[in-house]
Amino acid sequence: MTVTWEELGWERLATGVGRVRLPGWDCTAGLVVGAGAALMIDAGSSLAEGVRLRTEAEELTGCRVTHLALTHPHFDHVFGAGAFAGAEVFGAVGVDTVPAGELREDAVRNGLGETAATEAADTLVRPRHLVSGEWTLDLGGGRQVLLANVGPGHTAHDLVVLVPGDPETVFCGDLVEESGEPQAGPDAVPSRWPAALDRLLGLGGEDALYVPGHGAVVDAAFVRAQRDALRARFGVSP
């Protein structure tokens, strides 16, 4: 690597694994480094943000971003996808059915400028690889990453990314949020959200780092507490 994670404002989580909290909506993007390959997890809220992520990833890794995993179809996580030309794009089954126009309207409602929202919607890249269960990516150099469709929950199409290592790291998307109460919009499936968190905990285990879609990195106890709060909030039985 030509620069350090810290020099670019990224948080190093484990060897070859890091994340950055983006301004505006405090959305997290993650990066996993292999041998001549790199996986970006989520793409930011605009093409400009996607370009920033791609450029910084290339500085950190010395190679282009070869894979992009989208944790769920909300504009602040996917609208930078058009900046990752040539990357193999992954998402949960059904993520490709959410209309770009619907995402654009949501982005504008939440404060993204109309020009930026239109540009991102017009160039939105849809996942070529749709994950229904689990999918193992080999990034080379002994680095394998597990993509798991654990939803529905926050949306009908939630994907998490498990990175083995010391410690193991789980990128949770917005199934877990630390900087505020988990957001349950009209596309959420509250009755199944707690079960999605149980599956997420089963993948990561007790000692993993859990990276929320928004906020600081948390532990398994935090995820369990959020699961229990969601059960109480939506009247879901254990």
Side-chain angles (χ1 to χ4, degrees):
M1 296 184 187
T2 56
V3 296
T4 67
W5 300 93
E6 292 75 18
E7 286 173 331
L8 290 180
W10 287 63
E11 181 182 359
R12 181 182 177 276
L13 303 174
T15 302
V17 184
R19 68 91 177 240
V20 66
R21 291 170 70 171
L22 298 166
W25 292 275
D26 188 28
C27 180
T28 282
L31 181 64
V32 184
V33 184
L39 166 68
M40 181 68 68
I41 301 159
D42 284 339
S45 62
S46 66
L47 272 178
E49 215 159 58
V51 169
R52 171 198 163 177
L53 290 170
R54 185 199 69 210
T55 301
E56 292 180 356
E58 289 172 353
E59 289 186 60
L60 286 165
T61 66
C63 69
R64 70 180 184 88
V65 173
T66 53
H67 301 77
L68 172 64
L70 302 175
T71 61
H72 62 286
H74 284 166
F75 83 91
D76 50 334
H77 295 260
V78 305
F79 257 14
F84 295 90
E88 296 289 335
V89 185
F90 295 78
V93 164
V95 71
D96 55 329
T97 65
V98 179
E102 182 179 304
L103 295 174
R104 181 196 175 280
E105 292 173 6
D106 187 49
V108 172
R109 266 196 311 271
N110 281 278
L112 186 64
E114 290 198 13
T115 299
T118 299
E119 180 184 41
D122 287 347
T123 59
L124 184 63
V125 174
R126 298 294 190 175
R128 176 184 172 192
H129 306 288
L130 299 173
V131 182
S132 60
E134 297 180 355
W135 190 311
T136 300
L137 291 181
D138 189 344
L139 299 179
R143 170 75 76 187
Q144 291 190 327
V145 176
L146 182 70
L147 310 181
N149 183 339
V150 300
H154 175 67
T155 71
H157 320 290
D158 290 312
L159 188 76
V160 302
V161 180
L162 170 68
V163 187
D166 186 17
E168 289 195 330
T169 307
V170 184
F171 289 90
C172 308
D174 286 3
L175 285 168
V176 179
E177 296 191 45
E178 185 276 336
S179 55
E181 186 175 79
Q183 297 301 300
D187 58 344
V189 187
S191 64
R192 298 179 65 181
W193 197 336
L197 292 182
D198 279 333
R199 287 191 286 275
L200 186 154
L201 286 163
L203 286 171
E206 190 62 27
D207 298 323
L209 298 178
Y210 292 88
V211 184
H214 303 266
V217 175
V218 300
D219 59 12
F222 181 95
V223 177
R224 284 196 300 271
Q226 195 153 97
R227 175 203 61 194
D228 294 345
L230 287 166
R231 281 177 177 158
R233 177 177 167 189
F234 296 115
V236 180
S237 299

